[in-house]
Amino acid sequence: MRHFPVFVNLGGRRVIVSGAGETAVAKLRLLLKTEARIAVFGEDVVPQVRQWAAEGRIVLTERPIAAGDALCAALLYAANDDPAEDARAARIGREAGALVNIVDNLEDSQFITPAIVDRDPVTVAIGTEGAAPVLARKIKADLEERLPASLGVLTRIGQAFRARAEMLGDSKKRRAFWTKFYFGAGDRALKAGGEEAVRETLETLLTDEIERRDGPGSVVFVGAGPGDPELLTLKARNALHEADVVLHDRLVPQPILELARREAIIVETGKKGFGPAWTQDAINALMIEHASAGARVIRLKSGDPAVFGRLEEELDALDEAGIEFEIVPGITSASAAVASIGRSLTRRGRNASLRIITGHDAEGFADHDWRALARPGEAAAIYMGLKASAFLRGRLLMHGADAETPVTVVENAARADQRIVAATLGGLPEALADAGITGPAVLLYGIAPRGAQVAMDALPARAEAV
Ligand code: SAH
């Protein structure tokens, strides 16, 4: 890191700008956000600079900067668009002990001005050491979108309320209070009734939180998606940021778990692997124990919690214990799998419906309506189907399915180690063995990868449109 980021208090300090053209205007626009005393030196003065001078916001001297002009200045910007004049101005600045920036000249500058996202008093500064201005602009644009415009106002009002919020004592309660304020309630109040409504909301939230003091916690069921952190919903991310306890499946990868707070308790409740095998009862008990103690528990499940996630069993247990819950859906692995092969889960004239089935259930290989599934034009996303592949093939062929029906296997969908195997029903177990597929995989029955258009279209298709 060559440039160390600091926030300098410019209140009452002198800042010099050498140059009075458009380049200077760009810098002045930023500097005018501060409380600095700004002095501008230059000959070719553009109207905007003249106007600021007339308004008394800057002091304009219509001549080139001279020795002694930078006395006691904190910063000096050389913005003349003229290398020789900039070098001269920079020398004057340095001699006076000011930090010097020459616009568009990183090498000879002592400091650089970052890209800024301004929600005063919240300020985000973005720097790339001059290496990638495009990247800085993109990050700025992303943040501009993500941070509500009201954040500045809310922060200012919130700041004045900090002492009152101290009465919540407990840091968990305080965090819940401020989170509700900054991510929802504050913004809603501001839009509905202005700053006065925001102050009232703070009081209401405080009372709520005091009354909730020893109340039970809650459980949020969150879909973690297929594994790529970018495929999380914003709700999932926010829930992770707020969690006290995260109970997660074996299939949720580390980069997603890292989004949880450092203080959060994280427990893998996997049913396989090297750790202890968790029974459903043990998971339910742990979830209820933490929530009853007042914790905000996240039950983080791979894909969508409502797809083969034993969600309702856990909801029943919570109902029985009288604990509140919320469900945040996620992207199920079949969606990620079909995206990876350039297909959709349904298509006019190909498959008007899609069955979501499992290869396995509590009793072993799962039974299904094989006759219906064997008909032309049927499609299914088969979860947990690797071990059952020979069984699936046997049942489907026995009920008249075409051995050439495409079955696309997507292992580790939406992860760095994703693999795709385009097989047919007749050769499915062999294709899986040949490719050595062992990771979590979805079998897309009746859907071939995009490149395999011909084989697919050769399938008997349904006549009507979907
Ligand atoms: N709730 C999850 C499914 C859990 S059951 C969801 O909505 O996706 C576990 C099965 O999900 C695995 O056996 C596998 O079939 C599938 N699965 C989970 N993650 C996967 C991934 N990244 N790629 C392919 N299949 C996956």
Side-chain angles (χ1 to χ4, degrees), residues 429-462:
E430 294 76 16
L432 289 173
D434 284 352
I437 299 286
T438 53
V442 170
L443 314 184
L444 297 167
Y445 168 78
I447 304 177
R450 195 161 188 82
Q453 185 86 31
V454 182
M456 273 254 323
D457 288 348
L459 278 177
R462 286 253 190 85

Side-chain angles (χ1 to χ4, degrees), residues 90-116:
R91 214 165 29 246
I92 291 171
R94 273 196 293 270
E95 275 160 15
L99 281 175
V100 169
N101 172 274
I102 303 177
V103 177
D104 288 336
N105 180 348
L106 183 69
E107 270 321 300
D108 299 326
S109 291
Q110 291 167 298
F111 73 95
I112 50 180
T113 316
I116 292 170

Side-chain angles (χ1 to χ4, degrees), residues 404-426:
E404 291 304 307
T405 307
V407 181
T408 308
V409 182
V410 184
E411 183 193 41
N412 292 315
R415 298 178 185 211
D417 48 0
Q418 168 179 292
R419 285 200 298 162
I420 296 165
V421 177
T424 57
L425 181 60

Side-chain angles (χ1 to χ4, degrees), residues 17-26 28 40-53 58 60-65 79-82 85 88:
V17 176
S18 164
E22 290 305 336
T23 304
V25 166
L28 284 166
V40 177
F41 293 87
E43 280 178 317
D44 298 322
V45 183
V46 295
Q48 178 66 79
V49 172
R50 214 175 280 291
Q51 189 186 330
W52 282 326
I58 61 173
L60 173 64
T61 309
E62 289 195 45
R63 60 160 170 77
I65 190 166
N80 296 284
D81 282 328
D82 171 350
E85 182 58 9
R88 196 182 66 80

Side-chain angles (χ1 to χ4, degrees), residues 166-186:
E166 286 296 313
M167 70 189 284
L168 285 168
D170 183 348
S171 75
K172 198 159 72 195
K173 296 285 155 201
R174 266 209 316 267
R175 210 172 51 238
F177 167 80
W178 287 117
T179 304
K180 280 182 200 156
F181 176 65
Y182 283 118
F183 298 95

